Amino acid sequence: MSNPFRDLTYGQALALLVERYGPREALVFRDRRYSFADLKAEADMASRRFAALGLNPGDKVAILMPNRPEFIFAWLGAAQMGLVCVMLNTRLKRDEIAYQLGQSDSRAVIVADAGDGPDFLSTLADLCPRLKEGRPGEIASEALPMLDFVVVCEDDTRRYAGAVTWDDLTARAAPMPPLATDPGAPAIISYSSGTTALPKGAMISHCLWRKAWDIGTRVDLTEDDCLYLAIPLFGSMATMNGVAPYWVRGGKSVIGEQFDAGQCIAAIAREKATGMHVLPPILRQMLAHPDFKTTDTSSMRVANTLSIDPDILAQVEDDLGVPGTMTGYGMTETTTVVTRNRWDDPREVRHSTQGWPLPDLEVAIIDPETLQAVPAGDPGEIWVRGYAVMIGYYKKPEETARAITPDGWLRTGDWGRQDATGRVTLLGRLGDTYKSRGFNVSPAEVEYVLQRHEAVDQCAIVGVADARQGEVGIAFVVPAAGQDVSEEEILAYLKPKIAGYKMPARVLFIDQLPLTSGTGKVQKFKLREEALARLAAAPAGPEAAGAPSA
């Protein structure tokens, strides 16, 4: 079946959803339920609210709020009228918020009142002092010269004079504005996770809907499917690779405010959820919850598992009981998933590879030094080309030019291989790979072995410069609860299991790994900084390990 969402804009896609599935449930949050017709009506009202503010196509509207329906209404309503949604991580601190609002040229930002969460309104008042006493449209400051409006999506008990509420805008809603007509125009700015450097804002077009349909093909999504989603809506996994693939097939999405194992288990049973995103912490909490063994979660069919660790995948399939346990390969810059297996492929295929490219997307494996394609099965940098590649990084032409070649290939910075059939296997980040004694070392390979040690709860390996060997690996270990393990024991465990050039030079212990918010990716640039600081302070280590020179 051809893709009915090909070349559709947000407005056209929402109209098609109503035409096909109007009275069916699309969204559930707490005790609030919305049909597809309701979803379109709420998006239209959001568009009218933005029009009342005088916002025009191309203007940037930032969303800074936790999981709730208003997030979705604002996103859809802004994008369908040609505004660009800036998805802000709710775990950002003051200066990070200021950077992303400023760098994106956001004219408006939508927040929720504090409740039990972060007090974003106070943070914005700190950045824009006139928010407290000024007038809407006149709150811009030196820190945020483009910001005209702060919209609170419920009644704000503090009633900052310069802010407006969702209800204020409902009362003065303008007529429905014209809808965007160019499917190639930007609709979202999504900032990178920040695992390696300062975040960059990837501009994603209306192609999200086309991609959503193709994502669903590999897992046979239908009107009977239901997604349980408690990962943050600001992340591309939740929108581009979450609610949208279910909606385009007529399925519904059940939204949790944040992940709670008990609430998740209850919702799966109540709503007969068939799919969810599973991160390792989610897996551990669900299996450990007392309700898991007494609650019927057999409706679960597909688990988009955010790990390539075979042991994690085995636990999701065997212990959590999800037959369609799988991973995929993609990134925000590719409108998420580029490659995917079928959910009913053989287990060994689903657990060891990330699948073959979706329709109209190309993958190549390139030697990053020669820029030539490598033979099938050999490792190299993963390059992607096709309609789903981002437009570019907002206001970062040099970074965009480094990422996208003149003929349209996105250099992902990921290290992987592709077999003769086209299936892709992700090996790790190219930036994580380091060269020791003249050989390339993939930290993921060593991490997989190290993670098997009974005293290791979590681990990560980074490469640092070394005068003798070029680079050496530094292993960071979070010990398992109640375990006492030494550096010497870890190195002795690894020595017979991996090649000598892959051996870490040092093992450093840490209470917890630094992770990106929402996606749970290890921020290896922080570990690299930590390694250099510790080695400079105390360079001595096990001589047999080949400790790097200071």
Side-chain angles (χ1 to χ4, degrees):
M1 180 180 181
S2 61
N3 188 330
F5 289 85
R6 186 185 180 106
D7 297 329
L8 295 192
T9 62
Y10 270 73
Q12 293 165 337
L14 289 173
L16 183 56
L17 292 181
V18 174
E19 177 186 328
R20 290 189 165 194
Y21 315 117
R24 293 185 60 85
E25 281 191 350
L27 180 64
V28 178
F29 178 79
R30 296 181 182 169
D31 58 352
R32 298 156 64 182
R33 294 177 179 270
Y34 302 87
S35 68
F36 283 95
D38 294 333
L39 188 67
K40 178 69 164 67
E42 292 286 357
D44 288 350
M45 178 54 73
S47 297
R48 295 174 60 201
R49 292 183 181 109
F50 293 136
L53 290 176
L55 298 178
N56 298 305
D59 284 342
K60 316 302 186 299
V61 174
I63 305 177
L64 182 59
M65 69 171 78
N67 286 11
R68 54 189 303 162
E70 290 82 1
F71 185 112
I72 291 172
F73 305 153
W75 158 46
L76 298 177
Q80 73 170 355
M81 65 180 286
L83 304 178
V84 182
C85 287
V86 181
M87 306 297 205
L88 295 184
N89 189 321
T90 55
R91 295 172 178 84
L92 296 179
K93 303 302 182 184
R94 175 190 180 277
D95 291 347
E96 296 169 315
I97 290 171
Y99 170 76
Q100 293 189 18
L101 284 175
Q103 200 278 332
S104 64
D105 294 325
S106 290
R107 284 198 61 202
V109 57
I110 307 169
V111 300
D113 204 356
D116 296 330
D119 188 354
F120 295 125
L121 199 56
S122 292
T123 299
L124 292 168
D126 185 37
L127 294 170
C128 298
R130 283 181 288 195
L131 178 62
K132 289 186 176 181
E133 306 296 340
R135 299 172 56 187
E138 300 176 2
I139 63 170
S141 65
E142 183 177 352
L144 295 172
M146 292 288 291
L147 189 67
D148 294 324
F149 304 103
V150 171
V151 181
V152 185
C153 73
E154 71 269 275
D155 284 334
D156 169 31
T157 55
R158 287 164 288 185
R159 297 301 301 178
Y160 285 176
V164 293
T165 70
W166 215 230
D167 287 343
D168 292 337
L169 294 178
T170 300
R172 51 188 263 224
M176 186 66 189
L179 300 183
T181 58
D182 180 6
I188 288 175
I189 291 178
S190 184
Y191 279 86
S192 59
S193 301
T195 58
T196 56
L198 200 63
K200 303 181 290 290
M203 293 183 286
I204 307 300
S205 76
H206 295 242
C207 75
L208 172 149
W209 299 99
R210 175 182 179 181
K211 172 67 86 65
W213 179 269
D214 288 335
I215 288 173
T217 300
R218 299 280 168 87
V219 290
D220 295 337
L221 291 182
T222 72
E223 295 179 9
D224 296 326
D225 280 294
C226 170
L227 173 70
Y228 179 76
L229 185 84
I231 60 175
L233 281 168
F234 60 72
S236 56
M237 290 185 300
T239 50
M240 306 179 203
N241 190 21
V243 295
Y246 282 75
W247 283 342
V248 296
R249 301 288 177 153
K252 70 179 176 183
S253 295
V254 180
I255 307 297
E257 292 171 90
Q258 56 189 0
F259 182 74
D260 176 277
Q263 293 177 9
C264 171
I265 292 166
I268 290 173
R270 182 182 66 249
E271 305 291 341
K272 302 302 180 188
T274 59
M276 67 179 292
H277 294 76
V278 179
L279 286 72
I282 287 176
L283 172 66
R284 289 195 294 269
Q285 292 175 48
M286 288 184 70
L287 294 178
H289 198 279
D291 291 349
F292 177 68
K293 292 182 179 180
T294 61
T295 305
D296 182 6
T297 59
S298 61
S299 61
M300 288 294 295
R301 183 174 65 83
V302 175
N304 297 321
T305 308
L306 280 77
S307 173
I308 59 174
D309 184 333
D311 286 354
I312 295 293
L313 292 163
Q315 276 189 289
V316 176
E317 188 150 340
D318 298 334
D319 300 337
L320 206 58
V322 186
T325 295
M326 60 196 304
T327 66
Y329 172 70
M331 56 201 305
T332 297
E333 287 87 340
T334 58
T335 320
T336 72
V337 182
V338 172
T339 70
R340 208 171 209 186
N341 290 301
R342 277 193 53 82
W343 74 279
D344 53 0
D345 274 338
R347 173 185 174 122
E348 61 271 17
V349 171
R350 288 182 287 105
H351 287 206
S352 63
T353 76
Q354 280 63 60
W356 72 98
L358 295 175
D360 302 317
L361 297 178
E362 299 175 79
V363 170
I365 307 298
I366 304 295
D367 183 319
E369 295 181 1
T370 67
L371 300 185
Q372 299 299 309
V374 303
D378 285 1
E381 184 181 10
I382 302 173
W383 287 22
V384 177
R385 183 165 65 177
Y387 75 89
V389 170
M390 67 173 178
I391 299 167
Y393 293 118
Y394 184 67
K395 287 174 53 178
K396 289 187 178 290
E398 294 180 1
E399 288 86 343
T400 299
R402 285 197 294 268
I404 303 177
T405 68
D407 54 350
W409 286 99
L410 174 71
R411 304 185 61 168
T412 69
D414 286 322
W415 191 248
R417 63 169 64 96
Q418 188 174 30
D419 68 18
T421 71
R423 287 187 192 268
V424 170
T425 300
L426 176 64
L427 300 175
R429 286 291 293 172
L430 178 62
D432 294 345
T433 303
Y434 60 92
K435 185 166 285 190
S436 182
R437 306 183 200 174
F439 297 97
N440 285 321
V441 180
S442 171
E445 293 184 59
V446 184
E447 290 164 356
Y448 174 72
V449 178
L450 181 51
Q451 190 69 60
R452 312 278 80 72
H453 193 292
E454 63 180 9
V456 175
D457 181 39
Q458 295 176 285
C459 66
I461 294 173
V462 296
V464 299
D466 177 70
R468 290 173 294 172
Q469 299 184 36
E471 291 178 289
V472 293
I474 305 298
F476 281 86
V477 168
V478 178
Q483 296 284 346
D484 185 14
V485 64
S486 69
E487 179 176 21
E488 291 77 9
E489 289 177 80
I490 294 292
L491 293 171
Y493 169 80
L494 289 174
K495 190 171 183 180
K497 294 177 172 61
I498 58 176
Y501 69 89
K502 297 180 183 179
M503 280 290 293
R506 294 292 306 275
V507 178
L508 304 178
F509 295 96
I510 193 169
D511 292 334
Q512 61 182 20
L513 298 176
L515 304 177
T516 60
S517 299
T519 58
K521 297 177 183 176
V522 177
Q523 294 178 305
K524 290 203 169 181
F525 76 98
K526 290 186 177 180
L527 290 182
R528 201 168 285 111
E529 293 170 356
E530 175 83 2
L532 293 173
R534 288 209 210 177
L535 294 173
E543 292 184 2
S549 54

